[in-house]
Structure formats: C-alpha cells, structure tokens
Amino acid sequence: MIVKDAQPFSIVEDVGFKDLAHKLDPTYVLPTRQAVKAMVQKKYEEMKNKAKSDVQKAVAVSLTTAMWTSIHMDAYLAVTCHYAGGKRRTLHYPFGSAAFSKGSHSRKLG
C-alpha cells in the first residue's frame, strides 16, 4: 500500500490507519515508520539487483519512454527497459520516472 499508492512511511502513525489495522487483526502490531522505510529500502535493493542481473543476461534490450502531464500541469518522464529473457519470455522493468520542474512536454512549434 505504501509503495503502490505512494503513501508516506508515516501512514503507520495515522489514527485512521491504526484503527483499520486493528479492525483487520487486533493482535497485529504495526511496524514503526523507520522499520517500514528499512523494509522498503531492502526490497528495493533486492529488486534492483535482480533487474540488473536479468538485463545483463538479456539477448536483446529495448528502452521506451513515456511522458505525460498531471492535472496540475506537472510534467513527468518514465523510462522502461524491455528485454528478451530465456525460454522466449519478454520481460520489462520500469527504470523510474522523474518530474520536470519547468515547462510542459509539449509546446507549440513554428
């Protein structure tokens, strides 16, 4: 939920979140935000290392980009790596996305 919905680590300290967790399982003890951050960082490192290893073994690699503007007119760019893995599988990893601080991705030409 924290990663998928881009929630802050501090959500585990919110009263409403604590109430929800308690209703789902009264015996569950929520981790601290520092513990959640450490868990996310560990998983990130694991996935990053797996992606690096997989891409290094790839037969063919292709990069794609996507750019969009939010409803607040913030521009973003995402890069994804697609590659041919073993056993005729095509896989992909999102490399990430970045916000552009100035301007939009489209402009009038001419």
Side-chain angles (χ1 to χ4, degrees), residues 32-71:
T32 65
R33 65 185 163 108
Q34 292 86 357
V36 172
K37 181 179 179 181
M39 287 184 252
V40 170
Q41 287 175 327
K42 180 181 178 199
K43 188 65 172 178
Y44 168 79
E45 288 299 323
E46 290 170 5
M47 295 302 295
K48 182 177 80 170
N49 292 333
K50 181 179 180 342
K52 279 183 177 181
S53 175
D54 288 351
V55 171
Q56 287 174 345
K57 297 174 196 169
V59 177
V61 175
S62 174
L63 297 177
T64 58
T65 61
M67 196 160 196
W68 68 95
T69 304
S70 73
I71 60 172

Side-chain angles (χ1 to χ4, degrees), residues 50-97:
K50 181 179 180 342
K52 279 183 177 181
S53 175
D54 288 351
V55 171
Q56 287 174 345
K57 297 174 196 169
V59 177
V61 175
S62 174
L63 297 177
T64 58
T65 61
M67 196 160 196
W68 68 95
T69 304
S70 73
I71 60 172
H72 301 290
M73 298 306 295
D74 298 319
Y76 294 91
L77 171 71
V79 179
T80 302
C81 175
H82 307 268
Y83 64 96
K87 299 181 184 176
R88 298 184 181 186
R89 295 184 310 153
T90 302
L91 304 166
H92 69 276
Y93 282 106
F95 277 175
S97 59

